[in-house]
Amino acid sequence: MTLMAFSIRPAWMHRGSQTCLAAVLAPVLAPVLAMTLAMVLVFFSASWSGAQTPATTDTAIFPLDDIRTGMKGVGKTVFLGQEIEEFDVEILGVLRNIAPGKNLILSRVSGGPLATTGVLAGMSGSPVYIDGKLAGAVAMTFQFIKEPIAGITPIQEMLDMLAGDSPAPPVQAAGAAREWPFSNGGSDGDIRFLSYAAPEIDLPADILPVPVLWGGAESSLMPVATPIVLSGFTPEAIRHFTPQFQALGWVPVQGGGGAAAQDSSEPGRLPEPGSMISVQLVRGDMGVNADGTVTTVDEKTGRIMAFGHPFLSTGPMEVPFSESSVIAVIPGYATSMKISVPGRSLGVIDQDRSSGISGVLGREARLIPVELELIPEGGEGRTYHFEVANDRFLLPLLMNLTVFSAIGATERAVGETTIQVEQTIELEDLPEVRLDNFISETANGPAFAARSVVLPIAFLMQSSLGPLDIRKIRLRVLTSNKRMKQDVEQIWTSKRIVRPGEAVELNVLLRDQDGVEQLQKRTIEIPSSIPAGPLSITVADGMTLDRLDAAAGGPRALPKDPEQMVRALNRSRRNNRLYVRLSRPGAGFVVQGEPFPSLPPSVISTFSSSPSGSRDIARMMLSTVADYEMESVTGVVAGVKGLSITVEE
C-alpha cells in the first residue's frame, strides 16, 4: 500500500530556491501527514471509548437479527431547504462480518430525486426506520451502478461505537522516534543544533491512491462521499487539492458566501433525525464545510449522531457544526450531491469513529484564528480573517489550502515571482514562533509559499512531544513579479596565513540571474585558543549547510521539551542570508544541543563511552571551530564555496 502526504505534489518537486526550513522539515512532513490518509484506510480497526455523555436514543431500535429480505421501511433526509422528507427503503439482505466486527444492511432506496441521482453525497447518516423503529443510517453505496443501492450501518453498532464513559486517550504521535537533522542558527557563534522525532512510517511519497475502504474496486461498497463546500476559494485551488479531497472520501463543491460563526442562542430550528448539518472546518472570509445528515438526537443529553461512517476516523476531536440548508441537488454520473450553505452554530463534534460521528448541542469549539495580510507589488493589499479547526491532522491541510488560494487569487503561478512570507505563531505559555522565508521561482510560487507556512505548523502539531497549543497564526505575504535570487560566485580572505586571535576579512561575491554582482564582507575572529594547522572556511546558504551537517554526521540532538523545540524553530537558518563555518578535522561532540569542538583525548574517551550518548550526546566527525552569519539580502541566496587558510603560532 502506498500513500502520499497532501502537501507533496509532482509539480513541486523540481529543483528550485525552496526555503531552508522546508528542506529541513520536508522529510518529516511527508510521513507524518500520510498518517491522515493511513487512518482513513484502516478506520474499521480503530475503536476506543471517549470522554463523553454515553450515546443513546429515545427511539425504539429495530434489532439487526430481525432484519429480513423484502422488508419495507422509510428513510429521512433533506432534498431542499431544511424540510425533512421521507424516501422508501427495501431491504435486500444483511452482509455480516463485512469488516472486523462490522455488519451492513443492503437496501434499495427510492423516492424524491433518488431515481435520477442515486444515493446522494450528503445523505450519509440519513436514518432508516422499519415498523417505526430505527434500524440504522445510510452510509455506503456503489459507484457507477444503475440503481440507488445503499448500505445501512446498524444503529446498534453506532451506539456501541460512540457510547462510553471512560476518558478519551490523549492524541499522541504514533510510531517510534527517529532523528532528523535540524540545525538552527543564531548570530556570531551562538549556534545550537536540534533534531526531531517523527513517526516511523515507511511509505513512498510518489503515489496518491483513491482508497476503496471496504475492498475491491468500482464494484465494491464505499462510504457515501462527503460534500466539502468551499467558499471564497479560487477554482485553481479547488482543482489543485481535488486529488487529496478524493483520497479522503470528500467531494469538493465550490460554494458562495462566507461561513462565519452565528450565535447559537438565536431562535432557530434544532436538528432532528434527517436534518442536514455542516461540520465547520474553516469559517470567516473563507469557508470549508463538510455536510452530512443527523441520525439521532437525544433530547435529554443533547447528543447527536450522524454520518454512519467515519469522517476521518480520528477518534476524539473538537470541531464545530452548524445547521445546514440544501439549495440544490446535482445529479452526476459518478457522484450526485447536495449543495448546501451553513447556518446557525449548533454545537461541537467530539467523536469521529468507524460507525459515524457524534457531537453535543450547545457547546463551542475553540478554533485557531488566522490573519493573512497579502501585499502585492504595486497593488492594493488585502487582509483575510478566518478561523481553522484546531485539529493536529486537519490544520496543516486547511492552512495549505487557504494560503494557496489567497496568494493564488492575485499572484501568477507561471512566470518569475518572489514571495516573502513572514509568519508568527502564537503559542500557549510559550514564546512566539517567528519565521521569515523567501520563495523565488519561475513557476508554482503560491504552492511553495503555502508549503513554507505549513511545515512549521505541521511540526508543532504532530511532533512526538505532543501537539502544542496554537492560539493564533499571523501571516504577512509580500509579492513581486520578478525573481530575486543570488548565487555565491566567489569567496576570498584578506590573509591566507593567520595567527590565533587575529581578525580576517572575508569577501563574498554574489551574482544574480541578470549578471549583477554584489559584494558582502564579514570580519571573522580566529579563536585565540586554536592550535596551529590548516583551517577550513565554508560559506553556504542555510539549506546547503544543513545538508552538509547531515551528510557529515553533524551535530544533532532530540528536543526534550516544547521550549527547546520553539527555540530551535526561531533559530532556524533563513534562506535570505549566508552562513560561515570555520572547521577542521577532529573529534567533537554536541552535548544537549551545545557544541564542544577540539576536546582533549580524556574527554573524548568519556563522551564516547557514555551510556546516555544515544540521546544527549552526538559526535561530530568534523570539528566546528566557529560559526558566523552574514547580512541578509532581499530575496534568496544560494550556493556553497570553501577555502583553506593556515594558522601559525
Side-chain angles (χ1 to χ4, degrees):
M1 177 172 60
T2 55
L3 295 172
M4 168 181 156
F6 64 81
S7 64
I8 308 297
R9 291 180 59 87
W12 296 13
M13 302 309 293
H14 68 277
R15 296 183 180 272
S17 53
Q18 304 177 30
T19 66
C20 173
L21 184 62
V24 174
L25 293 184
V28 179
L29 183 63
V32 172
L33 297 183
M35 291 174 66
T36 303
L37 301 182
M39 290 181 69
V40 176
L41 289 171
V42 298
F43 73 89
F44 45 79
S45 64
S47 126
W48 58 79
S49 296
Q52 56 176 331
T53 305
T56 60
T57 177
D58 298 328
T59 305
I61 293 175
F62 196 96
L64 178 65
D65 291 340
D66 294 344
I67 298 290
R68 297 291 182 270
T69 299
M71 283 183 169
K72 305 292 185 181
V74 295
K76 293 184 178 182
T77 196
V78 174
F79 294 122
L80 187 63
Q82 294 183 330
E83 181 182 355
I84 299 174
E85 300 183 42
E86 293 187 350
F87 58 90
D88 296 323
V89 178
E90 178 187 354
I91 303 301
L92 301 178
V94 176
L95 300 177
R96 296 188 179 274
N97 201 33
I98 192 171
K102 301 292 181 183
N103 303 291
L104 200 69
I105 304 169
L106 198 62
S107 67
R108 179 184 290 108
V109 296
S110 59
L114 297 179
T116 302
T117 64
V119 179
L120 290 158
M123 282 185 68
S124 299
S126 298
V128 173
Y129 301 86
I130 299 176
D131 295 337
K133 298 179 180 180
L134 182 58
V138 172
M140 313 289 288
T141 190
F142 295 93
Q143 280 191 315
F144 306 109
I145 56 175
K146 295 182 178 180
E147 295 186 45
I149 304 298
I152 299 170
T153 299
I155 185 59
Q156 192 59 56
E157 292 184 8
M158 294 183 67
L159 293 171
D160 292 344
M161 184 62 65
L162 297 172
D165 52 13
S166 60
V171 179
Q172 297 178 349
R178 174 170 59 187
E179 284 192 356
W180 299 97
F182 187 125
S183 59
N184 45 81
S187 59
D188 293 349
D190 181 22
I191 294 187
R192 297 174 174 83
F193 302 88
L194 295 176
S195 64
Y196 297 94
E200 185 75 55
I201 302 179
D202 295 322
L203 298 173
D206 57 350
I207 298 178
L208 181 62
V210 177
V212 178
L213 302 185
W214 294 80
E218 294 176 356
S219 60
S220 295
L221 280 164
M222 299 178 64
V224 176
T226 302
I228 297 292
V229 181
L230 299 116
S231 305
F233 290 88
T234 63
E236 291 76 17
I238 296 175
R239 185 166 56 250
H240 187 86
F241 285 91
T242 290
Q244 287 75 35
F245 293 148
Q246 291 176 338
L248 295 172
W250 299 351
V251 177
V253 180
Q254 190 163 17
Q262 299 184 33
D263 189 357
S264 59
S265 65
E266 296 178 359
R269 180 177 179 177
L270 289 176
E272 304 173 29
S275 296
M276 285 286 293
I277 59 170
S278 287
V279 180
Q280 296 186 308
L281 306 179
V282 178
R283 66 189 188 193
D285 290 339
M286 288 181 267
V288 179
N289 301 279
D291 290 341
T293 304
V294 174
T295 305
T296 69
V297 179
D298 190 328
E299 296 182 359
K300 295 179 181 178
T301 63
R303 180 162 291 280
I304 72 163
M305 292 191 295
F307 281 30
H309 61 69
F311 178 50
L312 286 175
S313 196
T314 60
M317 66 187 311
E318 186 176 341
V319 180
F321 72 95
S322 69
E323 63 185 11
S324 184
S325 180
V326 179
I327 61 174
V329 169
I330 307 298
Y333 289 106
T335 302
S336 300
M337 70 195 76
K338 301 179 183 181
I339 296 181
S340 61
V341 293
R344 197 170 51 95
S345 296
L346 294 176
V348 172
I349 299 298
D350 59 5
Q351 294 292 317
D352 178 14
R353 305 294 183 178
S354 64
S355 293
I357 63 173
S358 178
V360 179
L361 295 169
R363 279 179 48 189
E364 293 185 3
R366 186 182 71 81
L367 303 183
I368 298 177
V370 179
E371 179 182 304
L372 195 164
E373 183 182 7
L374 184 61
I375 306 174
E377 182 181 39
E380 184 176 352
R382 177 175 179 179
T383 302
Y384 298 87
H385 297 275
F386 52 92
E387 298 174 296
V388 183
N390 184 18
D391 183 270
R392 66 183 310 189
F393 296 111
L394 287 174
L395 179 61
L397 169 61
L398 298 173
M399 287 301 300
N400 202 353
L401 172 65
T402 52
V403 174
F404 178 86
S405 181
I407 298 177
T410 57
E411 301 307 312
R412 61 187 182 183
V414 178
E416 294 186 343
T417 303
T418 297
I419 302 174
Q420 181 182 2
V421 180
E422 300 174 1
Q423 182 175 11
T424 302
I425 304 173
E426 297 181 12
L427 301 169
E428 181 73 14
D429 299 327
L430 287 169
E432 293 181 341
V433 173
R434 293 177 176 270
L435 300 170
D436 185 6
N437 286 292
F438 281 83
I439 295 89
S440 189
E441 297 290 338
T442 56
N444 295 325
F448 280 114
R451 183 175 181 228
S452 72
V453 170
V454 168
L455 285 167
I457 293 173
F459 203 73
L460 290 171
M461 294 293 287
Q462 298 174 359
S463 164
S464 60
L465 292 176
L468 302 189
D469 190 359
I470 298 178
R471 310 302 296 184
K472 186 175 182 179
I473 299 172
R474 299 195 306 273
L475 300 169
R476 189 168 181 261
V477 180
L478 300 90
T479 64
S480 172
N481 287 328
K482 57 184 178 181
R483 198 172 185 207
M484 301 178 183
K485 181 184 178 184
Q486 299 183 73
D487 295 311
V488 180
E489 185 76 11
Q490 186 179 357
I491 67 171
W492 67 92
T493 56
S494 57
K495 301 177 181 179
R496 301 301 295 266
I497 300 177
V498 297
R499 297 182 180 277
E502 192 173 358
V504 178
E505 186 176 74
L506 175 66
N507 300 276
V508 180
L509 182 65
L510 303 174
R511 186 189 303 271
D512 66 14
Q513 67 272 12
D514 297 324
V516 178
E517 296 180 344
Q518 177 182 341
L519 182 64
Q520 280 198 324
K521 296 185 177 183
R522 172 72 198 236
T523 300
I524 57 178
E525 301 285 341
I526 305 300
S528 57
S529 59
I530 190 172
L535 183 65
S536 297
I537 299 178
T538 302
V539 177
D541 62 90
M543 181 173 65
T544 301
L545 198 56
D546 289 333
R547 291 173 176 170
L548 292 175
D549 284 342
R556 60 177 63 185
L558 293 173
K560 289 186 174 181
D561 52 53
E563 288 81 2
Q564 196 176 38
M565 182 192 302
V566 171
R567 186 164 59 249
L569 285 171
N570 282 327
R571 292 176 177 173
S572 60
R573 295 186 178 114
R574 308 309 195 238
N575 67 341
N576 66 333
R577 66 201 65 187
L578 292 171
Y579 297 87
V580 182
R581 169 163 294 174
L582 276 61
S583 61
R584 61 175 23 168
F589 291 86
V590 175
V591 182
Q592 295 184 354
E594 297 289 345
F596 289 88
S598 304
L599 295 173
S602 59
V603 179
I604 293 175
S605 177
T606 301
F607 280 168
S608 299
S609 61
S610 172
S612 64
S614 60
R615 177 171 179 87
D616 296 327
I617 301 177
R619 185 166 187 149
M620 296 184 294
M621 305 306 296
L622 189 67
S623 179
T624 299
V625 176
D627 278 294
Y628 298 90
E629 183 178 295
M630 303 286 286
E631 292 183 0
S632 63
V633 301
T634 302
V636 176
V637 61
V640 55
K641 296 288 183 180
L643 57 81
S644 180
I645 61 176
T646 302
V647 179
E648 293 185 348
E649 294 289 349

